[in-house]
Amino acid sequence: MMTPVYEGKEDMFPLIPHSEDDCVIHRSANKSRRREITSRCRGASVSRTTFLFCSTLIGLTTLVCGLIIGYFNWGGASRCSSSDTISQQFQSKYGGITEMLSMEIHAENIKAFLKEWSANPHLAGTEREKSNAVKLVDLWKSQGLEDVVLKTYSVLLSYPDEQQPSSVTIIDDESKVLFESQRFEKPLSSEQNRSDIVPPYLAYAKTGDVAGDIIYVNYCSESDFEYASVKLLIDPAHKIALCRYGSIFRADKVRNAANNKCAGVIIYSDPADYARNGESDVYPQSWWLPSTGVQRGTLLEPFGDPLTPFWPANEWAFRRDESDAMLPEIPAHAISYGDARQLLQRMQGKPAPQDWQGGLNITYKMGPGFVEKTKVRLNVHNRNVVTPVHNVIGIIRGRVEPDRYVILGNHRDAWVFGALDPTSEEFGLLGSTEWVEEFGKLLQDRAVAYLNVDMAVTGNYSLHALGVPLLRQALFDAANRVPSPHNRSQSVFDHWAVSFPDPSLPGKPLVEGLGSGSDFGAFIHRVGVPSVDLRYKYDSQHLKLPSHPLYHSAYSTFDTVQRFIDPDFQLHVTLGRVWAELALNLSESMLLPLSPLDYAEDLEKNFNLLTVKYGDKMKLHQVPTDGLLHAIKNLTTVAKEFEERMRKVNVHSELAVRQVNDVLMQMERAFIVPRGLDESPMYSHILFAPSAHDAYKADPFPALSDALYETDQNSDTETWKNVNKQLAGLVASVRSAHSVLSDSSFE
């Protein structure tokens, strides 16, 4: 059993779990107490909040959870007035913004934190990341957080074998090497010229040495393999698949290749997706990926420690054999597009379809094999080892209702420097998942919300959000209180609504559904804690990038952020203010600012989307969708009635307020299936779960959507029986939410 690097008091946290990096505010008993708590939050967490929000270095597999457990304003005190630095026009239009948010979140502090925490590589499980955890504990204590603890889990991590580096080579019939992929990314600035940068690799890829013919399969999606095998008559069995990043999660690419009996997978970042302006306009001249850049990443799916599924990876855990874990079945490796060119330009066979052609100045061909009598060899050597990772938890306690938790989280580790990606998620949401697995029962009973910031600023276009309908209006209110960095006479909400409009809600910004890929996953998917994920983003609607171009490369540095993304760090400041405003709203409001009606209306919208896509097929196979529609309409009715009752509640009665808030907190939990979804038992939320075909994507009614997707592949009786089964579970969950809101007599 590995000893934690820092001994926090295990029993100092009797009411709340130990997690990533959050700060929690408790309800205050009266006006003066509210001010005391707010003052403490300012003194204890303003710098820390700046750190959490803007250096984005707080948590994953070392997930730093700064719980702001909080709470509600029983005295009805008004907010503090806005800073004089905010325009009078903004003040008069939108009202006061907390003094803490307008005066105490400083760009220079954010800049200094980000520069310090992204100065060195800090891969999870390494000595540097361990020292960062201890440093964060000391920092939060010095800033006045009441309880700061370090929680350690021992999880299976995956590293490249330093003695046998992974590679892709082209060999002749005598196994002579004609070409070998780069072992490291070329240093393009002095900060990258160091020996402690982990070489490009895919974590958890199966160790193996395979050689054979190569085929090009676009993004390695299920439809790509189907097109190659059915339309082009290319048999993928025993071939090495070459595909580009994008469209779906990398682990899904490898799983699809294994399902099609491929011998291995090579993934690269194509310039059509990552270097749109051509190879002359790339880093260090711009934010586009150079030909030497490689995206590292995990192949772990589902997330959490693979040796201890459903249970925390602590000293009492039973660990199954690695051979029984759900790890990739074939070797896989990531390379640069400079190296991919060497493979693609040698390939023979039919030209790939036009929409499969990439940004390299060659004709992409399908294969199999090369024009010359040569083969591709994929040699992967990873070592998997159980390693301690460390969550840091900071707490601000309230006096009234201290058993209500508002949780802010972010991950702290990175593949390399990670200046754009919380200084990154990395191996598989391990820290957050293990924490939720340990304290899930407590969270289900007491957590108000989980507010996630992963990649705080990946572009300078607009605020962008993922989240559940319950939190949408609270998020809109927070964004309305913060001035836009693009136009100080506008709010963030105004700019966001124009930049990412919701086509179904005129005048409102789009809040997308929660798939997976960040630390909100375990909170929403496992225990039904309402969650949001916030970031400033590039114009994804027009650029349609898979991610920011330097994602998970050695070029995601402080210099990149400062020169190309947010030179004055005002986007970081703004995101920090929105994040903190949302947290304070949830922690200070007497009645929780959650909207059941928004949820009901979203369900009806999702039902309509589903029927547009599958309605004719479901009608043909006599799938009884009327029950679901009826349940949703009934939920809408009772949600309207509940919100009307909320407006009339006696706010001077602690019991009445507590009853209303209990109902609001339980609504999300109504959609949790205790045994997990049939095809994805690690996910339990029947409305929000990653697609079975792309872990990044959130489908409406995921279990039902996945079942209907299968009917496109196999329309037999058993497949349609499963559709009916998933539909019945969905109806039951919607009816459960109805009973929560109606406080019915069990009719």
Side-chain angles (χ1 to χ4, degrees):
M1 176 57 202
M2 299 179 180
T3 304
V5 297
Y6 185 94
E7 290 297 336
K9 291 190 292 182
E10 285 291 325
D11 58 352
M12 73 159 46
F13 214 19
L15 295 178
I16 52 181
H18 311 54
S19 158
E20 323 172 80
D21 84 20
D22 308 343
C23 168
V24 189
I25 308 167
H26 290 229
R27 292 182 184 248
S28 49
N30 51 43
K31 186 172 182 177
S32 61
R33 176 59 178 166
R34 202 278 310 176
R35 287 175 174 164
E36 176 190 340
I37 293 296
T38 302
S39 174
R40 288 167 60 197
C41 183
R42 290 173 183 165
S45 72
V46 166
S47 300
R48 192 231 9 116
T49 298
T50 299
F51 175 79
L52 290 179
F53 284 109
C54 306
S55 61
T56 29
L57 310 177
I58 308 173
L60 149 73
T61 222
T62 49
L63 216 72
V64 191
C65 246
L67 297 180
I68 294 182
I69 301 186
Y71 234 141
F72 300 162
N73 169 16
W74 287 91
S78 61
R79 290 180 175 269
C80 299
S81 60
S82 299
S83 164
D84 292 337
T85 61
I86 299 176
S87 70
Q88 295 299 314
Q89 179 180 359
F90 182 87
Q91 274 197 56
S92 62
K93 185 175 181 181
Y94 296 105
I97 186 172
T98 314
E99 183 182 356
M100 174 186 73
L101 305 181
S102 61
M103 296 296 289
E104 298 297 336
I105 297 182
H106 298 295
E108 58 268 27
N109 289 348
I110 296 168
K111 179 179 177 179
F113 275 126
L114 183 58
K115 186 173 184 178
E116 175 185 0
W117 287 79
S118 63
N120 298 296
H122 46 285
L123 190 64
T126 62
E127 286 299 315
R128 182 168 286 120
E129 182 46 43
K130 183 169 67 174
S131 67
N132 282 353
V134 175
K135 182 167 68 173
L136 186 60
V137 169
D138 294 339
L139 176 66
W140 281 5
K141 285 186 173 182
S142 71
Q143 292 172 340
L145 271 72
E146 296 164 84
D147 293 333
V148 182
V149 296
L150 190 146
K151 185 70 175 176
T152 299
Y153 298 101
S154 294
V155 298
L156 187 71
L157 299 184
S158 178
Y159 301 102
D161 190 329
E162 298 89 345
Q163 306 304 316
Q164 302 181 80
S166 299
S167 65
V168 173
T169 56
I170 298 174
I171 57 175
D172 63 16
D173 54 5
E174 295 181 352
S175 297
K176 180 181 178 181
V177 174
L178 307 178
F179 163 79
E180 183 176 17
S181 62
Q182 64 188 52
R183 299 279 178 91
F184 296 93
E185 289 168 290
K186 180 181 179 181
L188 298 178
S189 69
S190 58
E191 62 192 326
Q192 296 144 16
N193 190 16
R194 52 194 302 162
S195 61
D196 56 349
I197 294 177
V198 67
Y201 80 113
L202 296 176
Y204 304 100
K206 183 177 181 178
T207 292
D209 187 352
V210 295
D213 286 336
I214 188 171
I215 56 173
Y216 173 60
V217 203
N218 197 27
Y219 293 111
C220 271
S221 68
E222 290 180 337
S223 60
D224 290 338
F225 274 105
E226 182 180 7
Y227 186 89
S229 59
V230 176
K231 298 291 185 181
L232 301 181
L233 302 179
I234 296 174
D235 182 4
H238 313 300
K239 310 294 192 305
I240 295 175
L242 173 65
C243 64
R244 47 181 172 162
Y245 271 116
S247 182
I248 61 175
F249 179 45
R250 71 183 73 83
D252 294 313
K253 298 174 187 288
V254 176
R255 187 187 69 239
N256 292 339
N259 289 342
N260 282 274
K261 297 181 171 54
C262 289
V265 183
I266 303 167
I267 311 177
Y268 75 102
S269 302
D270 195 278
D273 301 308
Y274 294 89
R276 293 276 178 83
N277 293 348
E279 294 183 48
S280 61
D281 183 24
V282 296
Y283 182 85
Q285 281 72 46
S286 76
W287 79 323
W288 296 107
L289 186 72
S291 63
T292 54
V294 184
Q295 181 187 136
R296 299 153 182 79
T298 185
L299 299 181
L300 189 62
E301 189 182 28
F303 296 124
D305 178 38
L307 302 186
T308 61
F310 301 105
W311 303 102
N314 54 28
E315 61 266 40
W316 302 286
F318 171 80
R319 289 173 171 80
R320 62 183 177 183
D321 293 339
E322 191 175 320
S323 59
D324 296 327
M326 298 173 63
L327 298 179
E329 299 174 356
I330 57 176
H333 190 52
I335 63 173
S336 68
Y337 64 80
D339 286 344
R341 178 190 285 113
Q342 299 298 320
L343 305 177
L344 286 162
Q345 68 187 5
R346 289 174 163 87
M347 289 181 66
Q348 63 181 1
K350 300 175 182 178
Q354 187 57 44
D355 59 347
W356 290 27
Q357 298 291 324
L360 295 170
N361 190 25
I362 56 176
T363 298
Y364 289 50
K365 295 183 178 180
M366 299 293 300
F370 295 133
V371 174
E372 308 98 338
K373 292 182 179 180
T374 55
K375 302 287 185 184
V376 66
R377 180 181 180 186
L378 173 61
N379 197 348
V380 175
H381 292 280
N382 286 345
R383 55 183 182 86
N384 298 339
V385 56
V386 174
T387 307
V389 296
H390 314 284
N391 291 351
V392 182
I393 300 93
I395 306 163
I396 298 174
R397 296 183 183 275
R399 178 169 296 173
V400 175
E401 292 195 303
D403 59 336
R404 303 292 207 200
Y405 313 152
V406 177
I407 308 171
L408 285 76
N410 186 312
H411 70 85
R412 189 185 60 249
D413 65 318
W415 288 111
V416 191
F417 302 104
L420 280 163
D421 188 0
T423 115
S424 301
E425 152 231 292
E426 295 331 350
F427 286 91
L429 315 181
L430 300 176
S432 56
T433 300
E434 299 313 304
W435 189 71
V436 169
E437 287 178 340
E438 182 165 9
F439 298 103
K441 293 291 191 295
L442 201 59
L443 290 170
Q444 279 192 312
D445 185 53
R446 299 179 180 183
V448 172
Y450 174 73
L451 314 180
N452 190 65
V453 169
D454 187 327
M455 295 180 280
V457 178
T458 61
N460 47 33
Y461 180 63
S462 175
L463 182 69
H464 180 268
L466 312 175
V468 298
L470 273 180
L471 286 170
R472 188 165 57 211
Q473 190 56 52
L475 177 56
F476 290 170
D477 291 344
N480 247 324
R481 296 190 191 105
V482 180
S484 168
H486 299 89
N487 181 347
R488 304 292 286 182
S489 66
Q490 280 188 323
S491 70
V492 169
F493 175 89
D494 293 332
H495 186 268
W496 178 22
V498 173
S499 303
F500 291 117
D502 188 333
S504 66
L505 295 173
K508 302 290 180 67
L510 179 65
V511 178
E512 296 183 21
L514 293 166
S516 190
S518 192
D519 294 302
F520 56 75
F523 290 91
I524 183 65
H525 299 146
R526 296 283 188 88
V527 292
V529 175
S531 302
V532 296
D533 179 75
L534 307 175
R535 69 185 61 182
Y536 256 83
K537 196 174 182 181
Y538 48 84
D539 185 357
S540 55
Q541 294 177 328
H542 292 95
L543 288 176
K544 299 187 185 304
L545 301 177
S547 64
H548 67 82
L550 301 176
Y551 183 63
H552 289 184
S553 75
Y555 310 128
S556 177
T557 64
F558 174 81
D559 174 69
T560 299
V561 175
Q562 186 174 36
R563 288 202 292 137
F564 305 125
I565 310 296
D566 191 16
D568 59 6
F569 285 83
Q570 288 305 310
L571 299 177
H572 284 82
V573 167
T574 301
L575 186 73
R577 288 176 175 171
V578 172
W579 196 10
E581 278 287 357
L582 179 57
L584 289 177
N585 190 10
L586 289 164
S587 63
E588 292 184 337
S589 298
M590 183 178 295
L591 295 176
L592 285 172
L594 305 179
S595 175
L597 184 56
D598 282 351
Y599 224 131
E601 291 175 346
D602 261 37
L603 291 179
E604 188 163 355
K605 179 179 69 176
N606 288 339
F607 176 85
N608 293 335
L609 291 173
L610 193 73
T611 54
V612 166
K613 187 173 183 179
Y614 290 109
D616 290 343
K617 289 183 69 175
M618 289 191 289
K619 186 175 181 180
L620 178 65
H621 290 270
Q622 300 180 332
V623 176
T625 58
D626 288 350
L628 177 57
L629 181 59
H630 183 69
I632 291 172
K633 288 188 177 298
N634 284 347
L635 180 63
T636 302
T637 299
V638 76
K640 289 178 181 177
E641 294 171 351
F642 179 82
E643 292 196 4
E644 183 62 31
R645 294 200 305 273
M646 279 181 64
R647 284 187 279 272
K648 299 176 181 178
V649 71
N650 179 6
V651 295
H652 300 291
S653 167
E654 294 187 16
L655 178 59
V657 170
R658 181 82 176 193
Q659 286 176 324
V660 169
N661 289 332
D662 283 347
V663 171
L664 290 168
M665 289 175 60
Q666 286 304 312
M667 183 172 181
E668 196 77 59
R669 277 67 150 179
F671 300 112
I672 291 295
V673 179
R675 58 175 172 73
L677 305 182
D678 283 349
E679 301 302 318
S680 305
M682 300 294 284
Y683 302 105
S684 299
H685 201 298
I686 203 164
L687 301 183
F688 288 102
S691 165
H693 313 285
D694 177 10
Y696 285 151
K697 182 182 177 185
D699 281 331
F701 310 142
L704 179 58
S705 292
D706 287 340
L708 286 165
Y709 177 91
E710 291 303 321
T711 67
D712 292 336
Q713 321 304 315
N714 181 5
S715 193
D716 62 13
T717 301
E718 288 302 313
T719 305
W720 280 102
K721 187 182 293 185
N722 186 47
V723 170
N724 282 281
K725 177 183 177 183
Q726 302 307 326
L727 177 62
L730 186 56
V731 172
S733 293
V734 175
R735 287 175 57 84
S736 175
H738 178 281
S739 66
V740 168
L741 292 180
S742 65
D743 193 20
S744 69
S745 56
F746 306 102
E747 295 178 357

